[in-house]
Amino acid sequence: MVLAEIISDMNSNYENRKHGGYSQAFNMQRKMIEAFPQIGLENVFASELYLPIGQKIEPGSLESLKTLVDEYQNQNVITNSSKTLN
């Protein structure tokens, strides 16, 4: 995925929503985090709260993004093995 594809997806998503279609926002975020993991998980919104009220979401796209986010977090867990002194 290159920047031109991302821009094209964003334009397609806008046109689709403008005509009453489903938003592809979560699918786009999933594609971007897969292609560019360096963007950081903190820049991925895995919640409906980030969409305008009433916007239709592509079926299954939020669940797919949440699964990817969970997998990413599980792979990058930092454990604390230090002991506390009492």
Side-chain angles (χ1 to χ4, degrees), residues 4-63:
E5 289 178 61
I6 294 169
I7 293 169
S8 176
D9 285 351
M10 290 173 68
N11 288 335
S12 295
N13 188 52
Y14 172 75
E15 288 298 323
N16 191 37
R17 286 187 301 113
K18 188 168 79 171
H19 298 291
Y22 289 103
S23 173
Q24 296 283 328
F26 297 122
N27 282 333
M28 288 189 299
Q29 288 185 327
R30 182 181 46 78
K31 281 195 241 177
M32 283 192 287
I33 193 72
E34 287 174 342
F36 305 108
Q38 64 272 23
I39 66 170
L41 197 58
E42 66 275 5
N43 295 312
V44 175
F45 307 118
S47 170
E48 293 174 335
L49 295 174
Y50 294 98
L51 292 178
I53 294 174
Q55 182 170 311
K56 295 188 288 186
I57 304 167
E58 181 73 18
S61 61
L62 179 58
E63 292 78 11

Side-chain angles (χ1 to χ4, degrees), residues 67-83:
T67 301
L68 178 72
V69 166
D70 289 343
E71 289 173 7
Y72 183 87
Q73 286 176 330
N74 289 337
Q75 290 172 2
N76 296 296
V77 171
I78 298 173
T79 57
N80 183 357
S81 61
S82 64
K83 296 181 181 179

